[in-house]
Amino acid sequence: MPFSSFTLVLAALGAGVTGLWAGRFFIFILHQYKQVDRVFFHENNGFWVGIVMFFLGFTLVGRPFVFWAPMTLAGLLLLKHLWIKRTA
Amino acid sequence: MVLNPAEPVTRTFTLREPLLLFLVGACLSISQFVMIRDFVTILYGEEVVIILVTAAFFMGLSIGYFISLKFSYKFFHNSFLAIVFLHLTFPFSYRMLAVEIARLNLDGYMYVVLMFVYALIFSSIFAVFLPRLVHEKSSDKESAIQKMKVLYSMELIGFAAGFAIVSMSWNKGVDFILPIYWALLAVIIHLALQKKTWTAAFVLLAIVSSNSIEQVDRRTTALLYEHKHHFHEAETLLTINSAYQKVEVIKDEDGELYLYLDGLLNLNASDLEDLNYYIAETPARLIKPERTLIIGNGTLSSVPKVYPHSKFVQSVELDAGVLLAGQKFFTPTDELKGLDRWNLIVDDGKHFLKTTDHMFDLIIMDIPSPLTIQEAILHTKEFYQLAKSRLTEKGVIAVQLSGPLQHNNRTPARVVAALSEVFDEVMVINSDQADRSFGFASRQLPFSGADMRQATHEYEKGLKIIVPNDIPSYLSEAVPLALDNLDLVLCRGLDRFTDRYFDVDRDPCRKVRDWTEGYFNND
């Protein structure tokens, strides 16, 4: 399955849907910051830290890291989201 | 002027901003590609280096975002102009600075400083546009959000467009992509500053520079090889960016050809003879396979060696850029003419094995050492399991081990350990002439140590042959390479990187392990 063309299309769709959510999150989170530069600064820091962490995690831990790291981060984001909504 | 708070909002102005952000996105995409490829080549392309250079580029962006609203329009105007004109010297200026660092034998840290300085120059200026455009002239938060929606979308679309331009430049030199990049920058200058004089000056300089990109590219590349790789004299025969790596063919003063991938020596013409003899010709002569599969071997040099002994030969190479270099400089097309029992497919080895219906008597793994994740995956027990599923009952997989097999946990031992987990029989030969070992694995090897000796004794007298029964004694410390255990990529990469630039002669991972063991033992 991982090597079939059908899976590639599915993966592309999945990435697209994930991207939609991330784009929406930008607009949502902008309400919490006074200036737009802060949002992009923190988001970009997360990006390069993510690149380094993925490399370390995948080479040292392997597939469990690839599975659990995004799940954990998504869970943390959800908690943060709920917390922001409650305090807003 | 755009980005100037004093400018009145007009219809042209509102159209100009999205276009500006679109072009900024495109330039960001192209500059990321050019810079990361070039710096990886300068520092030599282990995965550790690729990650470091990529992180440096994005840290430059972070700094750009951080300072974007902290300076005046005048400062932005002047620094933008200085940086954008400096872009006309990329990537040659930092290549020359790297040459100077090597020539003057300066401290290795200087390369890292150079990389971070250039990452800052390269990327930070592009990060300034979006926050400034969103922030300025937005009377309240709601209008800022509306503006960000449009402008950020345009920047992302521009980034995708830039990536499309980058993909058009694959297997071409930088002389293809740089003029396009400069043209986009010229439009950015015009839209951002609205000063015809600066735009005209930039265009003029860009046109003049465009005429000599190829010559400057080749000469600066040759200088890098002379001073950093210690060639006495170097001539650049080919320098292109493939979809996966920078592919360079260098000729030395004796006329010997060298193939470099991302700055790492892949092979030279003399080594190629020994490599092909042991990994391809010898097992093919011993097995006389019905079907042979060659994975890698972009130079295609092993094809004529295997062809006389095999009824059908299938080559699978991922990188069309390496194939181009191979056919131009290592295996002339004439040598491959008339080989009607040979077929070439440009594909990923894993994908090919997973999707082919054919079974093979011999699989030759002619791929680089496991210094990046993708290369290391092709040395794992999971990959060997996949290869085994496409091997006939007495089928053999031949692997080059990137060094001599010893009683330790280094690359050759770890690859052999992975082979041993999957196959019942593994034989290793250690060639001083080829400066490395080769592994042959099978459910049931169709040749013995004596057969191997017989087949090779005329080529190399002192060849060391380790028969299957003796292999386990070499693997007492070796941890098999596996998808969930690719620490070799990190540790070997760090080891090589720190040794090369910081004169640290001890494996950093081993240092950490020793320290941890000492700490817990003391407790």
Side-chain angles (χ1 to χ4, degrees), chain B residues 362-434:
Chain B
L362 174 62
I363 297 179
I364 296 164
M365 295 298 300
D366 189 356
I367 53 170
S369 305
L371 293 171
T372 65
I373 287 176
Q374 287 304 324
E375 287 158 358
I377 285 173
L378 299 177
H379 293 82
T380 58
K381 59 183 185 183
E382 287 84 357
F383 176 80
Y384 292 138
Q385 197 70 54
L386 175 62
K388 189 182 179 184
S389 70
R390 305 317 309 166
L391 278 174
T392 55
E393 193 50 38
K394 286 195 173 183
V396 174
I397 182 168
V399 180
Q400 72 92 4
L401 300 177
S402 311
L405 176 65
Q406 293 166 325
H407 299 85
N408 57 23
N409 191 31
R410 296 186 78 88
T411 307
R414 297 194 64 177
V415 176
V416 173
L419 284 168
S420 297
E421 283 229 341
V422 176
F423 293 96
D424 300 321
E425 294 188 352
V426 181
M427 181 189 292
V428 172
I429 58 172
N430 186 23
S431 162
D432 288 339
Q433 202 167 306

Side-chain angles (χ1 to χ4, degrees), chain B residues 221-500:
Chain B
T221 300
L223 284 171
L224 197 65
Y225 279 90
E226 283 174 10
H227 292 281
K228 196 154 183 293
H229 294 255
H230 309 296
F231 276 69
H232 185 59
E233 270 176 39
E235 184 189 343
T236 311
L237 300 181
L238 180 84
T239 172
I240 55 171
N241 280 307
S242 80
Y244 306 97
Q245 55 207 339
K246 185 157 224 184
V247 181
E248 290 170 320
V249 179
I250 306 294
K251 186 164 90 171
D252 74 3
E253 63 279 9
D254 300 321
E256 174 123 36
L257 301 185
Y258 298 79
L259 174 65
Y260 279 86
L261 304 178
D262 272 348
L264 289 169
L265 180 62
N266 186 252
L267 52 90
N268 65 36
S270 314
D271 291 349
L272 201 54
E273 279 299 309
D274 296 325
L275 181 75
N276 284 333
Y277 179 78
Y278 285 116
I279 201 173
E281 189 178 338
T282 302
R285 269 198 294 138
L286 285 167
I287 299 169
K288 300 271 185 270
E290 288 275 326
R291 296 186 78 90
T292 301
L293 170 64
I294 306 173
I295 294 180
N297 186 241
T299 60
L300 302 177
S301 52
S302 63
V303 175
K305 313 278 180 192
V306 173
Y307 188 79
H309 310 288
S310 182
K311 287 197 179 147
F312 183 78
V313 180
Q314 175 69 63
S315 289
V316 177
E317 164 62 44
L318 179 64
D319 195 335
V322 181
L323 285 171
L324 182 76
Q327 285 181 330
K328 252 184 158 173
F329 300 103
F330 293 93
T331 313
T333 324
D334 287 351
E335 279 190 38
L336 301 168
K337 264 186 190 159
L339 303 186
D340 51 357
R341 291 178 286 110
W342 168 64
N343 183 44
L344 169 67
I345 292 179
V346 179
D347 193 4
D348 174 47
K350 299 186 291 297
H351 181 262
F352 177 82
L353 283 170
K354 199 77 183 173
T355 51
T356 184
D357 294 327
H358 297 293
M359 300 295 281
F360 297 91
D361 303 297
L362 174 62
I363 297 179
I364 296 164
M365 295 298 300
D366 189 356
I367 53 170
S369 305
L371 293 171
T372 65
I373 287 176
Q374 287 304 324
E375 287 158 358
I377 285 173
L378 299 177
H379 293 82
T380 58
K381 59 183 185 183
E382 287 84 357
F383 176 80
Y384 292 138
Q385 197 70 54
L386 175 62
K388 189 182 179 184
S389 70
R390 305 317 309 166
L391 278 174
T392 55
E393 193 50 38
K394 286 195 173 183
V396 174
I397 182 168
V399 180
Q400 72 92 4
L401 300 177
S402 311
L405 176 65
Q406 293 166 325
H407 299 85
N408 57 23
N409 191 31
R410 296 186 78 88
T411 307
R414 297 194 64 177
V415 176
V416 173
L419 284 168
S420 297
E421 283 229 341
V422 176
F423 293 96
D424 300 321
E425 294 188 352
V426 181
M427 181 189 292
V428 172
I429 58 172
N430 186 23
S431 162
D432 288 339
Q433 202 167 306
D435 195 25
R436 69 191 67 197
S437 293
F438 299 88
F440 305 96
S442 173
R443 293 182 184 90
Q444 191 187 343
L445 278 172
F447 50 82
S448 64
D451 296 333
M452 179 62 79
R453 176 77 62 207
Q454 173 90 22
T456 57
H457 79 279
E458 276 186 21
Y459 192 81
E460 186 176 350
K461 296 285 179 221
L463 188 75
K464 185 177 175 187
I465 298 171
I466 307 166
V467 294
N469 285 344
D470 295 340
I471 291 292
S473 68
Y474 282 82
L475 306 180
S476 52
E477 290 178 40
V479 180
L481 276 177
L483 275 182
D484 296 335
N485 197 345
L486 291 175
D487 60 319
L488 181 88
V489 178
L490 171 67
C491 294
R492 189 83 187 101
L494 266 181
D495 186 22
R496 289 166 64 106
F497 183 73
T498 52
D499 185 33
R500 191 184 301 134

